Amino acid sequence: MPQKEQLIAELSDLLGPRNVLTDATALSVYECDAAPSFKAMPDVVVFADTAQQVSDIVKLANKHNTPFIARGGGTGLS
């Protein structure tokens, strides 16, 4: 299994498939915030409920040599 697909599978196991977005339409919402001149389509978006889940997500990203970028409210105004 390619590395990206393996990472997505492990994230789905950790968080449940409902908390892992990979569909291009769903991901497009997360390509920018209120500063649209800085756009980048993510490979995957995940939703964590606990600090432990965030820690586990970061560990998986490191294991798969994949950048982890935390996102706040998405306004880009702070």
Side-chain angles (χ1 to χ4, degrees), residues 28-65:
S28 67
V29 174
Y30 299 93
E31 73 179 345
C32 68
D33 54 15
S37 59
F38 301 103
K39 285 186 176 184
M41 182 70 76
D43 291 328
V44 61
V45 171
V46 297
F47 301 100
D49 290 321
T50 66
Q52 183 61 54
Q53 286 178 333
V54 174
S55 175
D56 292 341
I57 291 165
V58 173
K59 288 175 186 175
L60 283 175
N62 283 331
K63 173 183 167 184
H64 291 278
N65 197 30

Side-chain angles (χ1 to χ4, degrees), residues 5-50:
E5 292 174 8
Q6 181 64 37
L7 171 60
I8 290 169
E10 291 181 39
L11 289 167
S12 292
D13 288 345
L14 174 66
L15 304 168
R18 293 180 59 145
N19 292 315
V20 180
L21 302 180
T22 58
D23 175 72
T25 302
L27 293 175
S28 67
V29 174
Y30 299 93
E31 73 179 345
C32 68
D33 54 15
S37 59
F38 301 103
K39 285 186 176 184
M41 182 70 76
D43 291 328
V44 61
V45 171
V46 297
F47 301 100
D49 290 321
T50 66

